[in-house]
Amino acid sequence: MDHMSLDRFDRAILTTLAEEGRISIADLARRIGLSKSPTQARLRRLERDGAIRGYRAILDPIRLGLDHVAFVEVKMTSTSEAALAKFNQAAAAVPEIEQVHLIAGNFDYLLKVRTADMRSYRRVLAEKISTLPGMSATSTYVAMEAVKEDGLADVT
């Protein structure tokens, strides 16, 4: 994967949009110190080149009753490309799994799973996660508190 070359204006656009995705082009231009036309052209290029993958509302899972977070270590029976591809596709289809990471270490995957409560998590583990293709074992770690969970990376 090629990394993009970003100048200070591109980085300012990305940082501002990560914090305020609904900002107008005029306000964005004013904030980064360019006029509207070059700001809009840069924004289109960042979208086209994949630096900006999309825009969405950030929901508050606690207010929506989804305050149980578990991290699940997954060990696979095989780590062949075909086995990993099957697992990836199946795990991506489970709505309660928020994140799936292939890990280099003592286990193969780390999943972030969000549910309403422990009872719901146990059902998801038994009915969905445990049936994912190629799994041999899981270990669950329950989060007690989210200290930082904004997903914002510093692009400066």
Side-chain angles (χ1 to χ4, degrees):
M1 179 187 302
D2 293 329
H3 294 280
M4 296 179 62
S5 177
L6 303 173
D7 66 14
R8 69 181 182 92
F9 293 112
D10 293 336
R11 291 180 193 283
I13 289 170
L14 295 173
T15 299
T16 303
L17 287 176
E19 294 170 354
E20 298 178 61
R22 294 180 66 163
I23 192 170
S24 71
I25 294 293
D27 288 341
L28 179 60
R30 206 170 12 264
R31 179 97 47 96
I32 68 166
L34 286 177
S35 63
K36 266 177 65 173
S37 292
T39 299
Q40 194 161 36
R42 285 172 176 270
L43 180 58
R44 284 193 195 119
R45 179 181 46 80
L46 290 167
E47 291 169 343
R48 182 191 69 235
D49 293 349
I52 298 173
R53 296 189 317 195
Y55 301 89
R56 62 182 176 178
I58 299 171
L59 308 178
D60 185 334
I62 307 304
R63 291 188 182 249
L64 297 172
L66 298 171
D67 56 351
H68 185 273
V69 174
F71 292 92
V72 183
E73 290 180 359
V74 174
K75 291 184 180 178
M76 302 291 289
T77 57
S78 168
T79 55
S80 70
E81 285 301 318
L84 297 178
K86 282 183 183 177
F87 180 87
N88 293 349
Q89 184 177 14
V94 178
E96 293 87 356
I97 299 176
E98 284 189 349
Q99 296 178 6
V100 179
H101 299 274
L102 183 61
I103 301 293
N106 294 330
F107 56 94
D108 300 304
Y109 282 96
L110 182 65
L111 313 179
K112 180 182 178 188
V113 181
R114 185 178 294 278
T115 58
D117 52 30
M118 182 58 82
R119 176 177 286 142
S120 299
Y121 171 72
R122 287 184 60 205
R123 182 185 47 74
V124 169
L125 179 64
E127 296 175 8
K128 297 180 181 182
I129 295 172
S130 294
T131 64
L132 292 172
M135 282 192 24
S136 68
T138 63
S139 293
T140 297
Y141 303 90
V142 176
M144 295 189 301
E145 177 183 6
V147 176
K148 181 180 183 203
E149 197 175 48
D150 60 13
L152 298 177
D154 185 6
V155 294
T156 55

